[in-house]
Structures are given as C-alpha cells and as structure tokens.
Amino acid sequence: MSIFTCGICKSDYDPLNKTPLSLPCGHVFCKECIKEIIINSGNIMKCPKDNKTYQLKLENIPICVQIFNNLPKKKDNSQKKYELVCSRHHKK
C-alpha cells in the first residue's frame, strides 16, 4: 500500500473527495471515509489503526499537507495514470 492511498477504502487520494485528512493520532485517511464514519457515529471518530476515539467535526480535521502537496500528478487525462512528482524534486 502507498502513502498516497487511503487505509480504509484503498483508493488513491485526490484534491477533491479523497483529500487526505490527519486525525489527532497522526493517522491519515481520505475525507470521504472519515465523513462516513463521523456521520454514522454522531461526530465520534474511532481511528481504524489504533482504536483511539475522538469527538470531531469534519470541517475541523486538518488536511495532511505533506501528502496533499506531494500527490501524484496525472500524466495524461485520457489514460488516468499517475506519475509521482515530488515538490522538492521536479521532473525535468
């Protein structure tokens, strides 16, 4: 599994619905999965990795900037393939 993949749904993160959000424990999951858990549990989020429980509102959960800023960029819109482009090491 990649750091660019949600640990719950196994989908690749993206800037829209699959935005990587960081829980207070430091584990990162996509916005869509966290939203579903919070809605189904009344603003209670139990981390799937370490089982720590938090009372959270979706809008207060921060984006994981390190993952978000380094999301793989689409190589070609028609092929839907991704290419890793690090913000520090741009491809020439």
Side-chain angles (χ1 to χ4, degrees):
M1 182 160 50
S2 165
I3 63 165
F4 299 109
T5 304
C6 176
I8 298 172
C9 67
K10 311 296 186 230
S11 296
D12 291 337
Y13 295 125
D14 69 40
L16 301 173
N17 296 321
K18 298 286 185 180
T19 307
L21 301 181
S22 182
L23 297 178
C25 58
H27 292 111
V28 179
F29 304 100
C30 76
K31 180 179 180 178
E32 199 170 86
C33 288
I34 290 177
K35 179 180 177 181
E36 188 169 325
I37 291 170
I38 288 174
I39 287 172
N40 291 332
S41 63
N43 289 343
I44 302 294
M45 176 71 194
K46 185 175 182 180
C47 177
K49 295 284 185 183
D50 60 20
N51 293 320
K52 291 183 181 177
T53 304
Y54 307 98
Q55 186 157 358
L56 301 168
K57 290 185 179 182
L58 185 65
E59 59 270 11
N60 295 335
I61 303 173
I63 292 173
C64 181
V65 176
Q66 290 179 331
I67 293 175
F68 186 80
N69 287 343
N70 290 294
L71 283 174
K73 307 295 183 206
K74 283 189 180 181
K75 200 186 223 182
D76 180 279
N77 288 336
S78 63
Q79 294 179 343
K80 305 251 181 205
K81 290 187 180 178
Y82 291 89
E83 174 182 87
L84 180 62
V85 179
C86 175
S87 63
R88 291 181 58 196
H89 304 96
H90 296 286
K91 187 173 179 177
K92 297 180 181 185

